[in-house]
Amino acid sequence: MTTKTTKGVALLATGLASSLALAADKHEHHDHGVVFTAKGKETKEIRINGRLHFQYDNLYSEDEAGEETRTNHFYYRRLRLGAKANLNQDWSAETVYEFGSDEGDGGSVDKAIIVKKTKIFGQKAKLRFGIDKVPFGLEEMQSSTAIPAIERSVATRFFSDDTDFGVRHSGVNLTTIDKKATGFVYSLHIGNAAQAEGSRLGGSAEASNSLGYWGSAQYKFDAKNTVVGVDYGHVSDLAPSAAADGMDAYIIYGKTKVGDIVLQAEYFNGEIEENGYTSQSDAYHIIASTMMGKWEPVVRYAYLETNSAAFGVDSDELVRRSARAGSSISAGQGNEAEISEWYFGINYHVNKSVKYMLGYSIAEAKNSTGDSNDISGLRARVQLLF
């Protein structure tokens, strides 16, 4: 961790310790976090929570010329501390700070939202104002604590992280989607086209003024395992990429349980306006997992094909933190680039708060001009929630 990160953790820990000491006689223990009473008359409770993902990566990479490189390190993949305040009259607020972020200098804001419970045509809904994930992608919208693979697929990462199209944007969201909802549910989001990364909490006077629009429509057959849906998004400016303008994308997905096996699949399609032509990007992934006592074996296959000159196939971005041998796998008009990835893993659930994860990835990236990059290696993680 950087010096700023270490200082930030120390300061926050000191502040929390003081708060805990002062509130020691006014708290209740819950399954996730501790609830405190507050002096403010409108505040009913405050909940403190945290997420720690300590990880080891050992990934090997080789390009078409035989150049080799390796990633071999321990680090905190996620080191999050959050607080949620529930107020009277159906108002609440939630903040999460990420100390383990690669963005910024010492961490970033993962979530900062003001929430108002409401009803739309008699259906329970929530209005959210602030920094949050846009409704785009089933795997992306799932919590990192619940995904059976250690990292999200190359398909998800292209449409979320590589292009900066999905994940977190500052804006306003209306959603009827929650853990207990069944039947038809939806989510709509309007916000800044630029991602709310690092310390950029929504942009500045010099930032892009373009807005983006995202929406999700799902049918949930039950509250946990079976869902089908389609998501769509549009932005007119893919900041900060100067080589690309607007982007339109959609995802069709489904999740179900067959016997004891949980299956999940997504198909992605995106069009990007760039350099006088419209690039096409197609991707999909399918993942299967099952619980065998406390053990959870996992297998996933993912594939991405694109002719985007602005993004190509950045294998070290798509296979997160892999060390890319040689240059990125370029693409463009008449030059298709692709990447395929297999993931095999096994998880051990100690309890609801602690989990061990071990996985092996095999990925191959190449384009029609003969460039290639092969990646393989091991990841391991211990996860703790409080």
Side-chain angles (χ1 to χ4, degrees), residues 352-365:
K352 291 183 178 181
S353 297
V354 180
K355 178 170 64 174
Y356 296 105
M357 307 178 73
L358 182 68
Y360 194 86
S361 294
I362 304 171
E364 179 184 4

Side-chain angles (χ1 to χ4, degrees), residues 140-358:
E140 184 60 59
M141 292 302 292
Q142 290 172 321
S143 169
S144 59
T145 64
I147 296 172
I150 291 181
E151 297 290 352
R152 292 181 172 90
S153 73
V154 296
T156 296
R157 290 189 61 83
F158 179 82
F159 283 87
S160 296
D161 296 273
D162 196 19
T163 61
D164 287 349
F165 183 77
V167 197
R168 297 168 183 85
H169 295 254
S170 295
V172 180
N173 178 279
L174 171 65
T175 185
T176 64
I177 299 175
D178 62 48
K179 293 180 180 180
K180 298 180 180 179
T182 57
F184 176 74
V185 292
Y186 62 90
S187 184
L188 303 171
H189 187 100
I190 178 172
N192 296 345
Q195 280 188 346
E197 296 178 325
S199 59
R200 186 176 66 223
L201 306 185
S204 63
E206 296 79 24
S208 169
N209 288 316
S210 297
L211 297 179
Y213 310 89
W214 297 264
S216 176
Q218 301 178 2
Y219 190 87
K220 299 182 71 175
F221 295 88
D222 57 64
K224 192 172 184 180
N225 289 315
T226 306
V227 62
V228 293
V230 58
D231 297 348
Y232 173 79
H234 166 80
V235 297
S236 56
D237 181 13
L238 269 178
S241 175
D245 294 322
M247 180 172 177
D248 290 88
Y250 68 86
I251 308 175
I252 301 172
Y253 51 82
K255 180 182 179 182
T256 190
K257 191 172 184 179
V258 181
D260 293 328
I261 300 175
V262 178
L263 296 172
Q264 181 173 310
E266 295 185 77
Y267 169 75
F268 304 72
N269 178 270
E271 296 183 347
I272 304 173
E273 297 296 329
E274 49 184 300
N275 296 324
Y277 78 106
T278 301
S279 69
Q280 295 284 337
S281 299
D282 293 276
Y284 63 89
H285 73 82
I286 182 168
I287 184 169
S289 63
T290 187
M291 291 300 300
M292 303 172 64
K294 290 190 174 185
W295 296 93
E296 182 185 24
V298 182
V299 61
R300 182 183 65 201
Y301 178 75
Y303 177 81
L304 163 71
E305 181 180 67
T306 182
N307 66 346
S308 170
F311 299 100
V313 171
D314 293 325
S315 55
D316 58 337
E317 171 72 19
L318 301 178
V319 183
R320 191 182 185 277
R321 281 212 174 194
S322 63
R324 184 178 64 211
S327 59
S328 62
I329 309 301
S330 63
Q333 278 187 296
N335 182 18
E336 298 283 345
E338 63 181 43
I339 183 170
S340 59
E341 177 199 26
W342 281 98
Y343 174 87
F344 304 93
I346 184 75
N347 306 324
Y348 182 75
H349 297 252
V350 179
N351 51 46
K352 291 183 178 181
S353 297
V354 180
K355 178 170 64 174
Y356 296 105
M357 307 178 73
L358 182 68

Side-chain angles (χ1 to χ4, degrees), residues 4-269:
K4 285 190 175 182
T5 302
T6 305
K7 290 181 178 178
V9 173
L11 288 172
L12 193 51
T14 302
L16 278 174
S18 300
S19 299
L20 293 175
L22 291 172
D25 60 337
K26 294 183 179 181
H27 73 269
E28 301 176 23
H29 288 281
H30 288 250
D31 291 338
H32 299 288
V34 178
V35 177
F36 298 89
T37 58
K39 291 183 178 179
K41 293 181 179 180
E42 297 299 323
T43 304
K44 294 192 296 184
E45 64 179 28
I46 299 175
R47 184 186 300 271
I48 305 297
N49 57 73
R51 183 185 310 181
L52 287 79
H53 289 176
F54 187 65
Q55 191 161 314
Y56 170 71
D57 292 344
N58 189 328
L59 301 169
Y60 168 83
S61 180
E62 181 179 2
D63 70 3
E64 74 283 353
E67 180 182 344
E68 302 176 1
T69 187
R70 182 181 293 276
T71 298
N72 183 28
H73 56 206
F74 293 93
Y75 64 103
Y76 265 107
R77 174 65 173 90
R78 294 177 182 88
L79 180 56
R80 295 178 181 173
L81 187 62
K84 181 177 180 179
N86 290 317
L87 283 68
N88 295 318
Q89 300 175 338
D90 294 326
W91 285 91
S92 64
E94 185 175 359
T95 59
V96 178
Y97 194 81
E98 172 61 86
F99 293 94
S101 174
D102 291 333
E103 304 293 339
D105 186 7
S108 63
V109 174
D110 185 73
K111 178 188 287 187
I113 54 173
I114 299 169
V115 182
K116 176 65 172 72
K117 292 181 181 179
T118 185
K119 283 191 176 182
I120 302 294
F121 303 116
Q123 190 175 20
K124 291 182 179 180
K126 292 181 180 180
L127 272 170
R128 297 199 296 241
F129 308 88
I131 299 172
D132 204 357
K133 284 189 174 183
V134 298
F136 191 78
L138 184 59
E139 185 182 45
E140 184 60 59
M141 292 302 292
Q142 290 172 321
S143 169
S144 59
T145 64
I147 296 172
I150 291 181
E151 297 290 352
R152 292 181 172 90
S153 73
V154 296
T156 296
R157 290 189 61 83
F158 179 82
F159 283 87
S160 296
D161 296 273
D162 196 19
T163 61
D164 287 349
F165 183 77
V167 197
R168 297 168 183 85
H169 295 254
S170 295
V172 180
N173 178 279
L174 171 65
T175 185
T176 64
I177 299 175
D178 62 48
K179 293 180 180 180
K180 298 180 180 179
T182 57
F184 176 74
V185 292
Y186 62 90
S187 184
L188 303 171
H189 187 100
I190 178 172
N192 296 345
Q195 280 188 346
E197 296 178 325
S199 59
R200 186 176 66 223
L201 306 185
S204 63
E206 296 79 24
S208 169
N209 288 316
S210 297
L211 297 179
Y213 310 89
W214 297 264
S216 176
Q218 301 178 2
Y219 190 87
K220 299 182 71 175
F221 295 88
D222 57 64
K224 192 172 184 180
N225 289 315
T226 306
V227 62
V228 293
V230 58
D231 297 348
Y232 173 79
H234 166 80
V235 297
S236 56
D237 181 13
L238 269 178
S241 175
D245 294 322
M247 180 172 177
D248 290 88
Y250 68 86
I251 308 175
I252 301 172
Y253 51 82
K255 180 182 179 182
T256 190
K257 191 172 184 179
V258 181
D260 293 328
I261 300 175
V262 178
L263 296 172
Q264 181 173 310
E266 295 185 77
Y267 169 75
F268 304 72
N269 178 270

